[in-house]
């Protein structure tokens, strides 16, 4: 049995139809919803992480990329877990893993897929490199490319570099989707965790333009009185 057949057998072993139905509802796969048409097998995230850990070093990058292009959500998420593991442990060239991520961005098409991979591959790889791809993604029509652009900046924020995160947040302030508002607010909060003056300077400048959801996320750790003042747009 090939390694690819072994990993797909692992997926089949953990298939759970009831959980698959619940996941399809949770990840909004209905007509017109953000995850429209996605398919689920019903594996838990711990099960997927266990599979990823077992196969990350032995499944080739071509086979991982094949999983990443699967119609099944769990295949794609596990593929991303494996890519992150390989990237962090330098099992293969980090540039190659980055390139696999970029050319398969169309398959990284739900918030859990983005959040579990973009900061750790894109954010790390681009930290000391040209970041124009993130600005291209930020201006894209595709919801997930925009979230990828925002979440990737967490790799910079962790290193106390905020310029690109703030620039991309500014680009996305006018976006209509709640999942972008949450991503923007989350990254602003992470900036504030490291330098509240930088976060507040941005909030004061754009307070009247920031969507309420983004603002709420950004203000989570603020004192109540200051949080309420921002939410009332009194800053």
């Amino acid at each position: 049995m090939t390694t690819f057949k072994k990993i797909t057998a692992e997926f089949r072993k953990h298939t759970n139809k009831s959980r698959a139905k619940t996941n399809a509802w949770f990840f909004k796969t209905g007509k017109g919803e953000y995850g429209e048409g996605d398919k689920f097998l019903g594996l838990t995230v711990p099960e997927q992480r266990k599979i990823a850990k077992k196969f990350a070093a032995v499944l080739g990058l071509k086979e991982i990329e094949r999983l990443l292009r699967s119609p099944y959500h769990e295949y794609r998420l596990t593929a991303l877990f494996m890519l992150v593991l390989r990237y962090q442990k330098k099992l293969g060239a980090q540039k190659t893993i980055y390139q696999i991520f970029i050319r398969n961005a169309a398959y990284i098409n739900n918030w859990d897929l983005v959040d579990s991979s973009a900061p750790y591959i894109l954010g790390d790889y681009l930290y000391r490199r040209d970041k124009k791809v993130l600005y291209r993604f930020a201006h894209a029509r595709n919801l997930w490319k925009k979230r990828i652009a925002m979440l990737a900046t967490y790799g910079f924020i962790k290193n106390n570099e905020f310029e690109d995160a703030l620039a991309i947040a500014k680009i996305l302030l006018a976006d209509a989707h709640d999942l972008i508002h949450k991503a923007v607010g989350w990254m602003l909060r992470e900036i504030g965790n490291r330098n509240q003056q930088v976060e507040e300077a941005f909030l004061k400048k754009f307070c009247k333009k920031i969507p309420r959801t983004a603002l709420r996320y950004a203000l989570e750790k603020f004192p109540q009185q200051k949080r309420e003042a921002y939410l009332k747009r009194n800053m």
Side-chain angles (χ1 to χ4, degrees):
M1 183 183 292
T2 65
T3 306
F4 190 83
K5 286 184 177 180
K6 286 179 181 178
I7 193 170
T8 54
E10 288 278 349
F11 283 113
R12 288 195 299 272
K13 185 168 67 176
H14 295 285
T15 295
N16 184 306
K17 290 183 179 180
S18 176
R19 191 182 297 117
K21 185 177 180 179
T22 299
N23 288 348
W25 167 82
F26 182 76
F27 285 101
K28 308 300 182 186
T29 63
K31 186 173 178 58
E33 295 183 308
Y34 61 72
E36 182 177 352
D38 206 352
K39 298 180 180 180
F40 288 83
L41 295 169
L43 281 76
T44 65
V45 171
E47 287 168 345
Q48 292 171 80
R49 288 194 180 277
K50 187 175 180 180
I51 293 171
K53 188 175 181 180
K54 180 177 178 180
F55 286 94
V58 295
L59 192 67
L61 286 173
K62 287 184 178 179
E63 286 73 27
I64 293 175
E65 190 167 6
R66 182 179 171 188
L67 286 177
L68 186 52
R69 296 181 178 190
S70 168
Y72 290 105
H73 190 100
E74 291 92 344
Y75 279 31
R76 302 198 305 281
L77 183 56
T78 304
L80 290 166
F81 287 157
M82 287 192 283
L83 287 176
V84 170
L85 285 170
R86 289 182 68 110
Y87 183 94
Q88 292 174 339
K89 295 182 179 181
K90 297 183 179 179
L91 300 174
Q94 290 181 326
K95 181 179 180 179
T96 300
I97 294 169
Y98 161 78
Q99 290 171 333
I100 289 171
F101 186 102
I102 292 296
R103 70 171 171 258
N104 289 284
Y107 301 96
I108 304 169
N109 57 354
N110 216 309
W111 58 264
D112 61 326
L113 304 176
V114 173
D115 299 2
S116 62
S117 60
Y120 311 108
I121 297 175
L122 240 58
D124 185 85
Y125 186 79
L126 296 175
Y127 171 50
R128 293 297 188 191
R129 293 180 172 88
D130 189 324
K131 300 170 179 62
K132 63 183 178 181
V133 65
L134 296 186
Y135 289 88
R136 189 171 77 245
F137 276 25
H139 285 289
R141 292 185 177 182
N142 181 272
L143 165 65
W144 306 115
K145 284 188 174 181
K146 289 184 281 191
R147 189 170 174 106
I148 286 169
M150 193 72 255
L151 265 292
T153 67
Y154 186 43
F156 319 148
I157 293 169
K158 289 189 292 185
N159 288 290
N160 293 310
E161 291 198 4
F162 311 130
E163 182 180 353
D164 292 290
L166 294 171
I168 289 173
K170 181 181 176 181
I171 291 168
L172 296 175
L173 285 182
D175 194 85
H177 206 290
D178 187 62
L179 286 173
I180 300 302
H181 302 170
K182 291 176 179 178
V184 169
W186 177 11
M187 291 302 103
L188 290 175
R189 185 178 72 233
E190 291 297 337
I191 291 172
N193 287 343
R194 293 156 179 82
N195 190 322
Q196 190 167 325
Q197 287 183 327
V198 171
E199 181 190 7
E200 285 212 62
F202 184 91
L203 294 179
K204 287 177 180 178
K205 186 174 183 179
F206 298 106
C207 187
K208 297 187 185 302
K209 295 182 179 180
I210 299 175
R212 189 171 181 82
T213 297
L215 193 56
R216 279 186 18 247
Y217 269 60
L219 297 171
E220 276 186 3
K221 296 188 178 180
F222 278 41
Q224 183 176 351
Q225 186 174 0
K226 182 177 283 191
R227 186 167 63 247
E228 290 177 356
Y230 272 110
L231 288 171
K232 291 176 182 177
R233 315 288 176 158
N234 289 335
M235 301 301 291

